[in-house]
Amino acid sequence: MNGERAARIGLLSVSDRASGGVYEDLGIPALREWLSAALESPWTETTKLVPDEQPQIERALIELVDLTGCDLVLTTGGTGPAPRDVTPEATLAIAHKVMPGFGEQMRQVSLRFVPTAILSRQVGVIRGRSLILNLPGQPKAIRETLEGVRNADGSIAVPGIFAAVPYCIDLIGGPYLETDPAVCTAFRPKSAVRRPAT
């Protein structure tokens, strides 16, 4: 891997009931499962489970970025229109740059499945040298959002957002992420593609 360090990825699940022990959190396992299949580069994870409280979400995001040094943080839950859904507000509050294309593409993917995708308020932001992305709360929607919509022959009809994540992380100074094309093909300009070490 040319001596490249392992990527540090934060997985943050936002749920009143899961954080209170009412039911088992499904968001973090779904994120972990998808990343384990998609990433060929080494990576480590740090996980957090918090209730739908903006100060706690903000604190968790700041800790994952500023203290743990995560290159990528994926959140799940709290992105709808309900009064307790405040993950986007917390994410924007701690952001240095907003990356609106991620939210736009997440809704494009989800609209292929449900018309209520327009109610989703997911955002993508950068804090320091970390990319933070809000994902849906349901495991199936998490996978679809990351991976995209496939045609009957397996080809991609609508790209998922993760295709753009590795190059974004390149641009903000993070480690070089390589993906399994069978799950998700990372897109980079030809000039940014590194040749494998021989």
Side-chain angles (χ1 to χ4, degrees):
M1 299 303 298
N2 296 324
E4 189 78 66
R5 70 169 172 82
R8 290 184 285 267
I9 301 178
L11 307 178
L12 172 62
S13 186
V14 179
S15 169
D16 283 333
R17 287 177 288 179
S19 65
V22 176
Y23 59 64
E24 183 180 359
D25 173 61
L26 300 178
I28 289 173
L31 291 169
R32 181 186 296 124
E33 179 182 6
W34 192 87
L35 289 167
S36 297
L39 285 177
E40 294 188 334
S41 305
W43 61 284
T44 62
E45 69 175 56
T46 300
T47 64
K48 289 184 178 290
L49 175 59
V50 299
D52 291 279
E53 296 286 352
Q54 185 168 339
Q56 292 190 46
I57 301 168
E58 289 180 24
R59 185 162 53 249
L61 290 171
I62 291 170
E63 288 175 1
L64 287 168
V65 174
D66 297 3
L67 302 181
T68 306
C70 289
D71 306 291
L72 172 65
V73 176
L74 301 177
T75 77
T76 174
T79 60
R84 297 282 298 167
D85 290 334
V86 293
T87 302
E89 284 76 13
T91 303
L92 292 168
I94 59 89
H96 296 148
K97 292 181 180 178
V98 179
M99 303 293 289
F102 283 105
E104 293 165 6
Q105 189 63 12
M106 283 189 259
R107 285 179 282 278
Q108 284 298 312
V109 170
S110 296
L111 278 167
R112 289 295 189 103
F113 301 99
V114 291
T116 51
I118 59 173
L119 303 179
S120 176
R121 303 182 305 112
Q122 290 114 317
V123 299
V125 307
I126 290 170
R127 178 180 174 88
R129 292 190 174 188
S130 177
L131 174 63
I132 303 172
L133 301 172
N134 299 157
L135 296 173
Q138 297 301 316
K140 179 175 181 288
I142 289 171
R143 179 180 55 76
E144 291 164 352
T145 298
L146 291 168
E147 196 169 317
V149 181
R150 295 186 181 272
N151 294 309
D153 63 0
S155 62
I156 294 292
V158 181
I161 62 165
F162 206 86
V165 167
Y167 185 51
C168 183
I169 291 176
D170 292 351
L171 293 173
I172 60 177
Y176 191 84
L177 295 178
E178 295 184 82
T179 59
D180 180 348
V183 179
C184 172
T185 300
F187 178 83
R188 289 178 169 94
K190 289 182 181 179
S191 61
V193 175
R194 295 186 194 171
R195 301 296 170 215
T198 54

